[in-house]
């Protein structure tokens, strides 16, 4: 397969969806680096706005005020030598949006229809020139239904909870495994049973079970599939 120049010329939109802890974020980030694509962490947009809602002291039942707040909010993603920084009204909130409190609150904030509409619009703006790997829950179904490639990552609840525990420990947050497991199970339920843009696999998505895969293996697997796709496109464009 001889696709490296084809890759650099490609302008694909690649969607990666899946439940919490399935390895989407790390895989998407590393794959974006390998392909020199933009990594679009859509959960980070919902999380950043949730942080603002929480800081402002707004809560459930105040949807009108929350939507008004969004109209005065600037959320931006910046790639800083390989790591993604999340800016909320120009303040770097990358670490502040990964706390158990935001995990909890984001599940209802992201269900406000106008919040979704506006943040989906922002996501599409990021994707308008292609060369983007977008990761979330509804990328292949709602945000970019015509994405060039769609992946759906899954892993057992146990494997996902272990990964989450390790991520939290890296931030010096120590929580018992059982509470992490039940929080993820609860989020799975909310994400897949919710009314708006529930977590579902797009019909044309490639499903990958990451339970027994190391991150490097996951990235390599997706990378190979992207190369195959680009190669296939190149050949069909050339009428081969
Ligand atoms: O992927 P994550 O854990 O950072 O996502 C945070 C929350 O945002 C999660 O509860 C689901 C929601 N989300 C969403 O509704 N749609 C997306 N495209 C991405 C995330």
């Amino acid at each position: 397969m001889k696709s490296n120049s084809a890759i650099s010329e490609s302008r694909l939109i690649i969607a990666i969806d899946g439940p919490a802890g399935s390895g989407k974020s790390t895989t998407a980030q590393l794959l974006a680096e390998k392909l020199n694509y933009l990594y679009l962490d859509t959960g980070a947009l919902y999380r950043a706005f949730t942080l603002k809602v929480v800081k402002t002291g707004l809560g459930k039942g105040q949807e009108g005020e929350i939507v008004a707040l969004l109209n005065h909010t600037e959320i931006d993603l910046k790639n800083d030598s390989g790591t993604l920084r999340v800016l909320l009204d120009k303040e770097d909130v990358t670490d502040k949006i990964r706390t158990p409190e935001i995990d909890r609150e984001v599940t209802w904030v992201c269900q406000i229809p106008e919040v979704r509409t506006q943040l989906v619009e922002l996501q599409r703006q990021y994707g308008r020139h292609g060369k983007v790997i977008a990761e979330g829950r509804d990328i292949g179904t709602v945000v970019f239904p015509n994405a060039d490639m769609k992946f759906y990552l899954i892993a057992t609840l146990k494997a996902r909870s272990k990964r989450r525990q390790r991520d939290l420990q890296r931030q010096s947050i120590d929580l018992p495994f059982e509470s992490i497991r039940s929080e993820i199970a609860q989020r799975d339920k909310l994400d897949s049973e919710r009314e708006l843009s529930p977590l579902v696999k797009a019909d044309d998505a490639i499903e990958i079970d990451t339970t027994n895969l190391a991150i490097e293996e996951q990235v390599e697997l997706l990378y190979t599939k992207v190369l195959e796709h680009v190669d296939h496109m190149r050949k069909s464009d050339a009428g081969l």
Side-chain angles (χ1 to χ4, degrees), residues 17-21 24-25 41-44 46-47 97-98 102-103 106-108 110-111 116 123 135-139 143 187 191 194 196-197:
D17 289 301
K24 292 175 308 215
S25 309
D41 176 354
T42 63
Y46 292 103
R47 284 173 179 274
I97 61 170
R98 309 261 165 220
I102 300 299
D103 282 352
V106 68
T107 52
W108 65 267
C110 78
Q111 275 300 278
R116 283 207 88 80
Q123 292 159 40
E135 165 257 304
R137 305 290 190 288
D138 58 345
I139 308 301
V143 183
R187 270 218 282 164
D191 284 349
R194 69 191 192 191
L196 281 177
S197 304

PDB file of all heavy atoms in Angstrom, residues 17-21 24-25 41-44 46-47 97-98 102-103 106-108 110-111 116 123 135-139 143 187 191 194 196-197, ligand 1:
ATOM      1  N   ASP A  17     -17.270   7.116  17.267  1.00  0.00           N
ATOM      2  CA  ASP A  17     -18.271   7.151  18.329  1.00  0.00           C
ATOM      3  C   ASP A  17     -18.103   5.938  19.240  1.00  0.00           C
ATOM      4  O   ASP A  17     -17.432   4.967  18.873  1.00  0.00           O
ATOM      5  CB  ASP A  17     -19.688   7.135  17.722  1.00  0.00           C
ATOM      6  CG  ASP A  17     -20.032   8.446  17.036  1.00  0.00           C
ATOM      7  OD1 ASP A  17     -20.006   9.490  17.714  1.00  0.00           O
ATOM      8  OD2 ASP A  17     -20.317   8.433  15.817  1.00  0.00           O
ATOM      9  N   GLY A  18     -18.764   6.014  20.372  1.00  0.00           N
ATOM     10  CA  GLY A  18     -18.725   4.872  21.290  1.00  0.00           C
ATOM     11  C   GLY A  18     -18.994   5.332  22.702  1.00  0.00           C
ATOM     12  O   GLY A  18     -19.022   6.529  22.975  1.00  0.00           O
ATOM     13  N   PRO A  19     -19.187   4.381  23.612  1.00  0.00           N
ATOM     14  CA  PRO A  19     -19.497   4.743  25.000  1.00  0.00           C
ATOM     15  C   PRO A  19     -18.282   5.294  25.743  1.00  0.00           C
ATOM     16  O   PRO A  19     -17.149   5.178  25.265  1.00  0.00           O
ATOM     17  CB  PRO A  19     -19.950   3.413  25.605  1.00  0.00           C
ATOM     18  CG  PRO A  19     -19.290   2.374  24.781  1.00  0.00           C
ATOM     19  CD  PRO A  19     -19.180   2.929  23.396  1.00  0.00           C
ATOM     20  N   ALA A  20     -18.535   5.868  26.916  1.00  0.00           N
ATOM     21  CA  ALA A  20     -17.467   6.416  27.762  1.00  0.00           C
ATOM     22  C   ALA A  20     -16.427   5.341  28.046  1.00  0.00           C
ATOM     23  O   ALA A  20     -16.778   4.204  28.372  1.00  0.00           O
ATOM     24  CB  ALA A  20     -18.077   6.924  29.065  1.00  0.00           C
ATOM     25  N   GLY A  21     -15.155   5.694  27.899  1.00  0.00           N
ATOM     26  CA  GLY A  21     -14.075   4.784  28.263  1.00  0.00           C
ATOM     27  C   GLY A  21     -13.736   3.739  27.215  1.00  0.00           C
ATOM     28  O   GLY A  21     -12.954   2.831  27.471  1.00  0.00           O
ATOM     29  N   LYS A  24     -11.987   6.125  22.757  1.00  0.00           N
ATOM     30  CA  LYS A  24     -12.179   7.037  21.618  1.00  0.00           C
ATOM     31  C   LYS A  24     -11.208   8.206  21.646  1.00  0.00           C
ATOM     32  O   LYS A  24     -10.583   8.509  20.640  1.00  0.00           O
ATOM     33  CB  LYS A  24     -13.593   7.655  21.641  1.00  0.00           C
ATOM     34  CG  LYS A  24     -14.716   6.742  21.380  1.00  0.00           C
ATOM     35  CD  LYS A  24     -16.019   7.498  21.577  1.00  0.00           C
ATOM     36  CE  LYS A  24     -16.005   8.153  22.891  1.00  0.00           C
ATOM     37  NZ  LYS A  24     -16.917   8.399  23.797  1.00  0.00           N
ATOM     38  N   SER A  25     -11.121   8.859  22.812  1.00  0.00           N
ATOM     39  CA  SER A  25     -10.351  10.106  22.866  1.00  0.00           C
ATOM     40  C   SER A  25      -8.886   9.887  22.538  1.00  0.00           C
ATOM     41  O   SER A  25      -8.335  10.554  21.661  1.00  0.00           O
ATOM     42  CB  SER A  25     -10.429  10.754  24.252  1.00  0.00           C
ATOM     43  OG  SER A  25     -11.760  10.855  24.620  1.00  0.00           O
ATOM     44  N   ASP A  41     -12.583  16.908  19.738  1.00  0.00           N
ATOM     45  CA  ASP A  41     -13.154  16.220  20.898  1.00  0.00           C
ATOM     46  C   ASP A  41     -14.486  16.916  21.215  1.00  0.00           C
ATOM     47  O   ASP A  41     -14.514  17.952  21.877  1.00  0.00           O
ATOM     48  CB  ASP A  41     -12.158  16.353  22.060  1.00  0.00           C
ATOM     49  CG  ASP A  41     -12.686  15.769  23.356  1.00  0.00           C
ATOM     50  OD1 ASP A  41     -13.863  15.360  23.398  1.00  0.00           O
ATOM     51  OD2 ASP A  41     -11.916  15.729  24.334  1.00  0.00           O
ATOM     52  N   THR A  42     -15.580  16.345  20.735  1.00  0.00           N
ATOM     53  CA  THR A  42     -16.864  17.049  20.870  1.00  0.00           C
ATOM     54  C   THR A  42     -17.378  17.017  22.312  1.00  0.00           C
ATOM     55  O   THR A  42     -18.041  17.945  22.750  1.00  0.00           O
ATOM     56  CB  THR A  42     -17.928  16.470  19.917  1.00  0.00           C
ATOM     57  OG1 THR A  42     -18.176  15.108  20.274  1.00  0.00           O
ATOM     58  CG2 THR A  42     -17.483  16.549  18.480  1.00  0.00           C
ATOM     59  N   GLY A  43     -17.019  15.971  23.052  1.00  0.00           N
ATOM     60  CA  GLY A  43     -17.412  15.911  24.472  1.00  0.00           C
ATOM     61  C   GLY A  43     -16.817  17.088  25.232  1.00  0.00           C
ATOM     62  O   GLY A  43     -17.435  17.629  26.155  1.00  0.00           O
ATOM     63  N   ALA A  44     -15.611  17.508  24.821  1.00  0.00           N
ATOM     64  CA  ALA A  44     -14.936  18.624  25.505  1.00  0.00           C
ATOM     65  C   ALA A  44     -15.742  19.911  25.353  1.00  0.00           C
ATOM     66  O   ALA A  44     -15.744  20.752  26.254  1.00  0.00           O
ATOM     67  CB  ALA A  44     -13.524  18.808  24.953  1.00  0.00           C
ATOM     68  N   TYR A  46     -19.094  20.098  25.134  1.00  0.00           N
ATOM     69  CA  TYR A  46     -20.210  20.002  26.093  1.00  0.00           C
ATOM     70  C   TYR A  46     -19.704  20.173  27.526  1.00  0.00           C
ATOM     71  O   TYR A  46     -20.360  20.799  28.360  1.00  0.00           O
ATOM     72  CB  TYR A  46     -20.925  18.650  25.943  1.00  0.00           C
ATOM     73  CG  TYR A  46     -21.673  18.521  24.632  1.00  0.00           C
ATOM     74  CD1 TYR A  46     -21.169  17.764  23.588  1.00  0.00           C
ATOM     75  CD2 TYR A  46     -22.879  19.185  24.425  1.00  0.00           C
ATOM     76  CE1 TYR A  46     -21.837  17.655  22.376  1.00  0.00           C
ATOM     77  CE2 TYR A  46     -23.557  19.089  23.222  1.00  0.00           C
ATOM     78  CZ  TYR A  46     -23.030  18.330  22.201  1.00  0.00           C
ATOM     79  OH  TYR A  46     -23.695  18.233  21.004  1.00  0.00           O
ATOM     80  N   ARG A  47     -18.539  19.614  27.800  1.00  0.00           N
ATOM     81  CA  ARG A  47     -17.982  19.721  29.155  1.00  0.00           C
ATOM     82  C   ARG A  47     -17.622  21.168  29.486  1.00  0.00           C
ATOM     83  O   ARG A  47     -17.892  21.643  30.591  1.00  0.00           O
ATOM     84  CB  ARG A  47     -16.710  18.861  29.268  1.00  0.00           C
ATOM     85  CG  ARG A  47     -16.982  17.389  29.372  1.00  0.00           C
ATOM     86  CD  ARG A  47     -15.687  16.587  29.309  1.00  0.00           C
ATOM     87  NE  ARG A  47     -15.955  15.171  29.425  1.00  0.00           N
ATOM     88  CZ  ARG A  47     -16.062  14.523  30.595  1.00  0.00           C
ATOM     89  NH1 ARG A  47     -15.845  15.153  31.728  1.00  0.00           N
ATOM     90  NH2 ARG A  47     -16.347  13.247  30.617  1.00  0.00           N
ATOM     91  N   ILE A  97     -12.373  20.450  33.238  1.00  0.00           N
ATOM     92  CA  ILE A  97     -13.588  19.830  32.685  1.00  0.00           C
ATOM     93  C   ILE A  97     -13.601  18.306  32.854  1.00  0.00           C
ATOM     94  O   ILE A  97     -14.525  17.646  32.425  1.00  0.00           O
ATOM     95  CB  ILE A  97     -13.790  20.198  31.192  1.00  0.00           C
ATOM     96  CG1 ILE A  97     -12.623  19.705  30.335  1.00  0.00           C
ATOM     97  CG2 ILE A  97     -14.009  21.681  31.026  1.00  0.00           C
ATOM     98  CD1 ILE A  97     -12.871  19.826  28.839  1.00  0.00           C
ATOM     99  N   ARG A  98     -12.550  17.764  33.478  1.00  0.00           N
ATOM    100  CA  ARG A  98     -12.483  16.288  33.628  1.00  0.00           C
ATOM    101  C   ARG A  98     -12.658  15.886  35.075  1.00  0.00           C
ATOM    102  O   ARG A  98     -11.885  15.102  35.600  1.00  0.00           O
ATOM    103  CB  ARG A  98     -11.133  15.751  33.126  1.00  0.00           C
ATOM    104  CG  ARG A  98     -10.755  16.221  31.767  1.00  0.00           C
ATOM    105  CD  ARG A  98     -11.063  15.201  30.693  1.00  0.00           C
ATOM    106  NE  ARG A  98     -11.005  15.852  29.400  1.00  0.00           N
ATOM    107  CZ  ARG A  98     -11.855  15.625  28.411  1.00  0.00           C
ATOM    108  NH1 ARG A  98     -12.805  14.731  28.539  1.00  0.00           N
ATOM    109  NH2 ARG A  98     -11.737  16.263  27.274  1.00  0.00           N
ATOM    110  N   ILE A 102     -18.242  17.481  36.730  1.00  0.00           N
ATOM    111  CA  ILE A 102     -18.598  17.782  35.330  1.00  0.00           C
ATOM    112  C   ILE A 102     -19.118  16.511  34.637  1.00  0.00           C
ATOM    113  O   ILE A 102     -20.073  16.566  33.869  1.00  0.00           O
ATOM    114  CB  ILE A 102     -17.403  18.413  34.559  1.00  0.00           C
ATOM    115  CG1 ILE A 102     -16.972  19.720  35.236  1.00  0.00           C
ATOM    116  CG2 ILE A 102     -17.753  18.665  33.095  1.00  0.00           C
ATOM    117  CD1 ILE A 102     -18.028  20.819  35.285  1.00  0.00           C
ATOM    118  N   ASP A 103     -18.524  15.357  34.953  1.00  0.00           N
ATOM    119  CA  ASP A 103     -19.042  14.077  34.414  1.00  0.00           C
ATOM    120  C   ASP A 103     -20.543  13.981  34.665  1.00  0.00           C
ATOM    121  O   ASP A 103     -21.309  13.550  33.816  1.00  0.00           O
ATOM    122  CB  ASP A 103     -18.419  12.870  35.151  1.00  0.00           C
ATOM    123  CG  ASP A 103     -17.003  12.553  34.696  1.00  0.00           C
ATOM    124  OD1 ASP A 103     -16.543  13.158  33.721  1.00  0.00           O
ATOM    125  OD2 ASP A 103     -16.376  11.697  35.349  1.00  0.00           O
ATOM    126  N   VAL A 106     -22.752  17.244  33.033  1.00  0.00           N
ATOM    127  CA  VAL A 106     -22.796  17.351  31.563  1.00  0.00           C
ATOM    128  C   VAL A 106     -23.926  16.508  30.965  1.00  0.00           C
ATOM    129  O   VAL A 106     -24.474  16.838  29.915  1.00  0.00           O
ATOM    130  CB  VAL A 106     -21.417  16.968  30.943  1.00  0.00           C
ATOM    131  CG1 VAL A 106     -21.100  15.495  31.127  1.00  0.00           C
ATOM    132  CG2 VAL A 106     -21.350  17.331  29.465  1.00  0.00           C
ATOM    133  N   THR A 107     -24.310  15.444  31.663  1.00  0.00           N
ATOM    134  CA  THR A 107     -25.318  14.541  31.093  1.00  0.00           C
ATOM    135  C   THR A 107     -26.670  15.231  30.887  1.00  0.00           C
ATOM    136  O   THR A 107     -27.408  14.872  29.987  1.00  0.00           O
ATOM    137  CB  THR A 107     -25.517  13.275  31.961  1.00  0.00           C
ATOM    138  OG1 THR A 107     -25.769  13.688  33.277  1.00  0.00           O
ATOM    139  CG2 THR A 107     -24.325  12.360  31.914  1.00  0.00           C
ATOM    140  N   TRP A 108     -26.997  16.234  31.724  1.00  0.00           N
ATOM    141  CA  TRP A 108     -28.271  16.930  31.482  1.00  0.00           C
ATOM    142  C   TRP A 108     -28.076  18.197  30.654  1.00  0.00           C
ATOM    143  O   TRP A 108     -28.928  18.538  29.838  1.00  0.00           O
ATOM    144  CB  TRP A 108     -29.039  17.197  32.780  1.00  0.00           C
ATOM    145  CG  TRP A 108     -28.399  18.142  33.747  1.00  0.00           C
ATOM    146  CD1 TRP A 108     -27.572  17.802  34.780  1.00  0.00           C
ATOM    147  CD2 TRP A 108     -28.514  19.567  33.764  1.00  0.00           C
ATOM    148  NE1 TRP A 108     -27.157  18.934  35.437  1.00  0.00           N
ATOM    149  CE2 TRP A 108     -27.720  20.036  34.840  1.00  0.00           C
ATOM    150  CE3 TRP A 108     -29.183  20.508  32.988  1.00  0.00           C
ATOM    151  CZ2 TRP A 108     -27.588  21.385  35.156  1.00  0.00           C
ATOM    152  CZ3 TRP A 108     -29.061  21.857  33.307  1.00  0.00           C
ATOM    153  CH2 TRP A 108     -28.271  22.283  34.378  1.00  0.00           C
ATOM    154  N   CYS A 110     -26.070  18.585  28.203  1.00  0.00           N
ATOM    155  CA  CYS A 110     -25.952  18.228  26.783  1.00  0.00           C
ATOM    156  C   CYS A 110     -27.287  17.758  26.197  1.00  0.00           C
ATOM    157  O   CYS A 110     -27.379  17.482  25.010  1.00  0.00           O
ATOM    158  CB  CYS A 110     -24.867  17.173  26.569  1.00  0.00           C
ATOM    159  SG  CYS A 110     -25.367  15.514  27.004  1.00  0.00           S
ATOM    160  N   GLN A 111     -28.308  17.670  27.045  1.00  0.00           N
ATOM    161  CA  GLN A 111     -29.628  17.269  26.552  1.00  0.00           C
ATOM    162  C   GLN A 111     -30.555  18.447  26.292  1.00  0.00           C
ATOM    163  O   GLN A 111     -31.716  18.272  25.925  1.00  0.00           O
ATOM    164  CB  GLN A 111     -30.276  16.307  27.559  1.00  0.00           C
ATOM    165  CG  GLN A 111     -29.848  14.873  27.334  1.00  0.00           C
ATOM    166  CD  GLN A 111     -30.231  14.398  25.938  1.00  0.00           C
ATOM    167  OE1 GLN A 111     -31.361  14.013  25.691  1.00  0.00           O
ATOM    168  NE2 GLN A 111     -29.298  14.442  25.003  1.00  0.00           N
ATOM    169  N   ARG A 116     -27.477  21.607  22.106  1.00  0.00           N
ATOM    170  CA  ARG A 116     -26.992  20.643  21.115  1.00  0.00           C
ATOM    171  C   ARG A 116     -26.934  21.281  19.740  1.00  0.00           C
ATOM    172  O   ARG A 116     -25.955  21.149  19.025  1.00  0.00           O
ATOM    173  CB  ARG A 116     -27.894  19.397  21.046  1.00  0.00           C
ATOM    174  CG  ARG A 116     -27.697  18.434  22.168  1.00  0.00           C
ATOM    175  CD  ARG A 116     -28.060  17.012  21.766  1.00  0.00           C
ATOM    176  NE  ARG A 116     -26.942  16.303  21.172  1.00  0.00           N
ATOM    177  CZ  ARG A 116     -25.955  15.746  21.867  1.00  0.00           C
ATOM    178  NH1 ARG A 116     -25.918  15.800  23.165  1.00  0.00           N
ATOM    179  NH2 ARG A 116     -24.964  15.134  21.244  1.00  0.00           N
ATOM    180  N   GLN A 123     -19.320  22.222  15.763  1.00  0.00           N
ATOM    181  CA  GLN A 123     -18.558  21.042  15.343  1.00  0.00           C
ATOM    182  C   GLN A 123     -18.471  20.972  13.814  1.00  0.00           C
ATOM    183  O   GLN A 123     -17.432  20.655  13.244  1.00  0.00           O
ATOM    184  CB  GLN A 123     -19.220  19.764  15.879  1.00  0.00           C
ATOM    185  CG  GLN A 123     -19.121  19.639  17.398  1.00  0.00           C
ATOM    186  CD  GLN A 123     -20.158  18.707  17.987  1.00  0.00           C
ATOM    187  OE1 GLN A 123     -20.454  17.663  17.424  1.00  0.00           O
ATOM    188  NE2 GLN A 123     -20.712  19.054  19.135  1.00  0.00           N
ATOM    189  N   GLU A 135     -14.751  12.979  17.480  1.00  0.00           N
ATOM    190  CA  GLU A 135     -15.043  11.870  18.389  1.00  0.00           C
ATOM    191  C   GLU A 135     -16.173  12.275  19.329  1.00  0.00           C
ATOM    192  O   GLU A 135     -16.206  13.415  19.796  1.00  0.00           O
ATOM    193  CB  GLU A 135     -13.727  11.582  19.119  1.00  0.00           C
ATOM    194  CG  GLU A 135     -13.786  10.757  20.326  1.00  0.00           C
ATOM    195  CD  GLU A 135     -13.676  11.592  21.571  1.00  0.00           C
ATOM    196  OE1 GLU A 135     -12.698  12.338  21.716  1.00  0.00           O
ATOM    197  OE2 GLU A 135     -14.600  11.483  22.403  1.00  0.00           O
ATOM    198  N   GLY A 136     -17.125  11.372  19.557  1.00  0.00           N
ATOM    199  CA  GLY A 136     -18.239  11.697  20.450  1.00  0.00           C
ATOM    200  C   GLY A 136     -19.239  10.567  20.548  1.00  0.00           C
ATOM    201  O   GLY A 136     -18.870   9.386  20.648  1.00  0.00           O
ATOM    202  N   ARG A 137     -20.525  10.937  20.533  1.00  0.00           N
ATOM    203  CA  ARG A 137     -21.583   9.928  20.643  1.00  0.00           C
ATOM    204  C   ARG A 137     -22.445   9.880  19.383  1.00  0.00           C
ATOM    205  O   ARG A 137     -23.034   8.856  19.063  1.00  0.00           O
ATOM    206  CB  ARG A 137     -22.523  10.242  21.814  1.00  0.00           C
ATOM    207  CG  ARG A 137     -21.858  10.400  23.159  1.00  0.00           C
ATOM    208  CD  ARG A 137     -21.345   9.061  23.655  1.00  0.00           C
ATOM    209  NE  ARG A 137     -20.904   9.129  25.047  1.00  0.00           N
ATOM    210  CZ  ARG A 137     -19.809   9.741  25.460  1.00  0.00           C
ATOM    211  NH1 ARG A 137     -19.018  10.357  24.612  1.00  0.00           N
ATOM    212  NH2 ARG A 137     -19.488   9.721  26.742  1.00  0.00           N
ATOM    213  N   ASP A 138     -22.561  11.035  18.707  1.00  0.00           N
ATOM    214  CA  ASP A 138     -23.511  11.168  17.593  1.00  0.00           C
ATOM    215  C   ASP A 138     -22.821  11.685  16.340  1.00  0.00           C
ATOM    216  O   ASP A 138     -23.450  12.308  15.506  1.00  0.00           O
ATOM    217  CB  ASP A 138     -24.624  12.155  17.998  1.00  0.00           C
ATOM    218  CG  ASP A 138     -24.068  13.529  18.370  1.00  0.00           C
ATOM    219  OD1 ASP A 138     -22.847  13.634  18.597  1.00  0.00           O
ATOM    220  OD2 ASP A 138     -24.843  14.496  18.408  1.00  0.00           O
ATOM    221  N   ILE A 139     -21.528  11.448  16.239  1.00  0.00           N
ATOM    222  CA  ILE A 139     -20.789  12.039  15.113  1.00  0.00           C
ATOM    223  C   ILE A 139     -21.221  11.394  13.784  1.00  0.00           C
ATOM    224  O   ILE A 139     -21.561  12.093  12.829  1.00  0.00           O
ATOM    225  CB  ILE A 139     -19.251  11.880  15.302  1.00  0.00           C
ATOM    226  CG1 ILE A 139     -18.825  12.401  16.661  1.00  0.00           C
ATOM    227  CG2 ILE A 139     -18.500  12.583  14.172  1.00  0.00           C
ATOM    228  CD1 ILE A 139     -19.143  13.835  16.929  1.00  0.00           C
ATOM    229  N   VAL A 143     -23.904  14.534  13.539  1.00  0.00           N
ATOM    230  CA  VAL A 143     -23.012  15.675  13.227  1.00  0.00           C
ATOM    231  C   VAL A 143     -22.477  15.562  11.798  1.00  0.00           C
ATOM    232  O   VAL A 143     -22.606  16.496  11.002  1.00  0.00           O
ATOM    233  CB  VAL A 143     -21.841  15.767  14.245  1.00  0.00           C
ATOM    234  CG1 VAL A 143     -20.972  16.990  13.946  1.00  0.00           C
ATOM    235  CG2 VAL A 143     -22.376  15.834  15.674  1.00  0.00           C
ATOM    236  N   ARG A 187     -23.904   6.323  33.063  1.00  0.00           N
ATOM    237  CA  ARG A 187     -23.728   7.188  31.887  1.00  0.00           C
ATOM    238  C   ARG A 187     -24.094   6.449  30.594  1.00  0.00           C
ATOM    239  O   ARG A 187     -24.681   7.012  29.683  1.00  0.00           O
ATOM    240  CB  ARG A 187     -22.275   7.674  31.812  1.00  0.00           C
ATOM    241  CG  ARG A 187     -22.116   8.977  32.565  1.00  0.00           C
ATOM    242  CD  ARG A 187     -21.175   9.897  31.877  1.00  0.00           C
ATOM    243  NE  ARG A 187     -19.797   9.504  32.119  1.00  0.00           N
ATOM    244  CZ  ARG A 187     -18.793   9.939  31.393  1.00  0.00           C
ATOM    245  NH1 ARG A 187     -19.000  10.726  30.368  1.00  0.00           N
ATOM    246  NH2 ARG A 187     -17.565   9.574  31.686  1.00  0.00           N
ATOM    247  N   ASP A 191     -26.719   7.877  28.108  1.00  0.00           N
ATOM    248  CA  ASP A 191     -26.294   8.179  26.729  1.00  0.00           C
ATOM    249  C   ASP A 191     -27.115   7.399  25.712  1.00  0.00           C
ATOM    250  O   ASP A 191     -27.444   7.912  24.652  1.00  0.00           O
ATOM    251  CB  ASP A 191     -24.807   7.830  26.519  1.00  0.00           C
ATOM    252  CG  ASP A 191     -23.864   8.853  27.143  1.00  0.00           C
ATOM    253  OD1 ASP A 191     -24.335   9.929  27.560  1.00  0.00           O
ATOM    254  OD2 ASP A 191     -22.656   8.561  27.223  1.00  0.00           O
ATOM    255  N   ARG A 194     -31.306   8.289  26.060  1.00  0.00           N
ATOM    256  CA  ARG A 194     -31.798   9.669  25.992  1.00  0.00           C
ATOM    257  C   ARG A 194     -32.539   9.920  24.680  1.00  0.00           C
ATOM    258  O   ARG A 194     -32.316   9.226  23.673  1.00  0.00           O
ATOM    259  CB  ARG A 194     -30.647  10.649  26.167  1.00  0.00           C
ATOM    260  CG  ARG A 194     -29.693  10.658  24.998  1.00  0.00           C
ATOM    261  CD  ARG A 194     -28.458  11.436  25.326  1.00  0.00           C
ATOM    262  NE  ARG A 194     -27.694  11.680  24.115  1.00  0.00           N
ATOM    263  CZ  ARG A 194     -26.472  12.159  24.103  1.00  0.00           C
ATOM    264  NH1 ARG A 194     -25.856  12.435  25.220  1.00  0.00           N
ATOM    265  NH2 ARG A 194     -25.854  12.365  22.966  1.00  0.00           N
ATOM    266  N   LEU A 196     -32.558  12.809  22.746  1.00  0.00           N
ATOM    267  CA  LEU A 196     -31.853  13.541  21.697  1.00  0.00           C
ATOM    268  C   LEU A 196     -30.521  12.887  21.375  1.00  0.00           C
ATOM    269  O   LEU A 196     -29.700  12.681  22.271  1.00  0.00           O
ATOM    270  CB  LEU A 196     -31.557  14.962  22.172  1.00  0.00           C
ATOM    271  CG  LEU A 196     -32.675  15.975  22.129  1.00  0.00           C
ATOM    272  CD1 LEU A 196     -32.191  17.292  22.705  1.00  0.00           C
ATOM    273  CD2 LEU A 196     -33.120  16.182  20.693  1.00  0.00           C
ATOM    274  N   SER A 197     -30.300  12.616  20.100  1.00  0.00           N
ATOM    275  CA  SER A 197     -29.017  12.067  19.649  1.00  0.00           C
ATOM    276  C   SER A 197     -28.471  10.972  20.564  1.00  0.00           C
ATOM    277  O   SER A 197     -27.371  11.094  21.094  1.00  0.00           O
ATOM    278  CB  SER A 197     -27.973  13.183  19.546  1.00  0.00           C
ATOM    279  OG  SER A 197     -28.410  14.184  18.712  1.00  0.00           O
TER     280      SER A 197
HETATM  281  O1  LIG B   1     -16.884  11.861  25.669  1.00  0.00           O
HETATM  282  P1  LIG B   1     -17.075  12.610  26.978  1.00  0.00           P
HETATM  283  O2  LIG B   1     -17.168  11.713  28.185  1.00  0.00           O
HETATM  284  O3  LIG B   1     -16.060  13.687  27.175  1.00  0.00           O
HETATM  285  O4  LIG B   1     -18.498  13.326  26.839  1.00  0.00           O
HETATM  286  C1  LIG B   1     -19.018  14.107  27.859  1.00  0.00           C
HETATM  287  C2  LIG B   1     -20.532  14.084  27.820  1.00  0.00           C
HETATM  288  O5  LIG B   1     -21.006  14.764  26.676  1.00  0.00           O
HETATM  289  C3  LIG B   1     -21.164  12.698  27.826  1.00  0.00           C
HETATM  290  O6  LIG B   1     -22.028  12.600  28.949  1.00  0.00           O
HETATM  291  C4  LIG B   1     -21.965  12.601  26.571  1.00  0.00           C
HETATM  292  C5  LIG B   1     -21.967  13.993  25.998  1.00  0.00           C
HETATM  293  N1  LIG B   1     -21.642  14.006  24.579  1.00  0.00           N
HETATM  294  C6  LIG B   1     -22.684  14.077  23.706  1.00  0.00           C
HETATM  295  O7  LIG B   1     -23.833  14.093  24.122  1.00  0.00           O
HETATM  296  N2  LIG B   1     -22.446  14.137  22.375  1.00  0.00           N
HETATM  297  C7  LIG B   1     -21.201  14.121  21.906  1.00  0.00           C
HETATM  298  N3  LIG B   1     -20.974  14.187  20.597  1.00  0.00           N
HETATM  299  C8  LIG B   1     -20.108  14.038  22.791  1.00  0.00           C
HETATM  300  C9  LIG B   1     -20.368  13.965  24.145  1.00  0.00           C
END
